[in-house]
Amino acid sequence: TAKDEDVVIVTTAPEFQVDLFEQRDAVDGHPEFGLWIQSLEKYPCNNYVIEYSVQMTDGKIEVHLNDVTSPDTCHGSVASARAFIPIGNLSPGTYPFALALGNAINNEGTLSVFEDRYEMSLPSPQGIDFQNLVVRKMKPGLLWGHIATPDAATSGRAIDFLNELKSITSEPAL
């Protein structure tokens, strides 16, 4: 007689939110693709660190989230742990991609790089919640960011700076 075998499917609640992201290198302005990772768990302060490693071997991209570590001294209020994980300036093509959480979970799929966008395909993600699976590349000459003003006295200078930027752009409504 043949035995019926039980199949156990293990699912885990998401532990991290992941965003595909492209930014410009602060030194020379070249585009750099990466992942913004944020823990869903809140920690006692805002300077907890997500430890990670990135390896690219024979065109395969492997990102490993090792741990969330506590700081020597806590700063700020309760917050998620966050990290930008730089992967690099990728040429168009399709790359095998793996995103591992510790030694327990390994998500595998592909990252497709096109002239105008990045597209991630992970058939059954475990332990992660992707906020977007497609991100458009920044066009050359695009400048974006944010201005933080610590108090009302400095907000006037920020507004003056933004107005000056609007005067030199081809799209002042942005």
Side-chain angles (χ1 to χ4, degrees):
T1 65
K3 277 187 169 180
D4 289 332
E5 291 187 27
D6 291 331
V7 175
V8 177
I9 298 173
V10 178
T11 60
T12 61
E15 296 179 34
F16 296 94
Q17 285 183 336
V18 180
D19 270 322
L20 304 182
F21 198 77
E22 184 184 61
Q23 66 182 19
R24 297 286 178 181
D25 182 87
V27 176
D28 65 9
H30 76 270
E32 182 174 50
F33 173 77
L35 304 174
W36 267 110
I37 307 283
Q38 177 175 314
S39 68
L40 294 180
E41 182 178 343
K42 303 288 185 191
Y43 294 93
C45 51
N46 64 16
N47 58 331
Y48 271 66
V49 176
I50 298 174
E51 292 182 349
Y52 64 87
S53 61
V54 177
Q55 188 172 19
M56 191 160 181
T57 309
D58 298 327
K60 181 177 183 178
I61 301 166
E62 296 177 295
V63 177
H64 196 265
L65 302 181
N66 302 317
D67 202 1
V68 175
T69 58
S70 61
D72 292 335
T73 305
C74 250
H75 297 289
S77 60
V78 173
S80 300
R82 295 188 67 189
F84 177 70
I85 300 176
I87 294 176
N89 186 3
L90 302 171
S91 300
T94 299
Y95 301 84
F97 185 88
L99 177 58
L101 279 66
N103 294 322
I105 298 173
N106 192 38
N107 296 289
E108 294 196 15
T110 59
L111 173 66
S112 297
V113 181
F114 299 93
E115 292 296 327
D116 64 339
R117 70 190 182 283
Y118 301 91
E119 289 185 12
M120 180 71 69
S121 173
L122 287 175
S124 301
Q126 291 289 311
I128 54 175
D129 178 20
F130 269 92
Q131 300 302 292
N132 57 30
L133 293 170
V134 177
V135 69
R136 297 220 172 266
K137 291 183 176 183
M138 285 190 283
K139 295 178 182 178
L142 178 67
L143 175 67
W144 71 268
H146 70 276
I147 298 175
T149 57
D151 54 41
T154 58
S155 66
R157 285 182 282 187
I159 290 169
D160 291 344
F161 175 72
L162 288 173
N163 287 334
E164 187 175 332
L165 282 178
K166 287 179 182 183
S167 73
I168 63 171
T169 184
S170 61
E171 298 184 45
L174 294 178

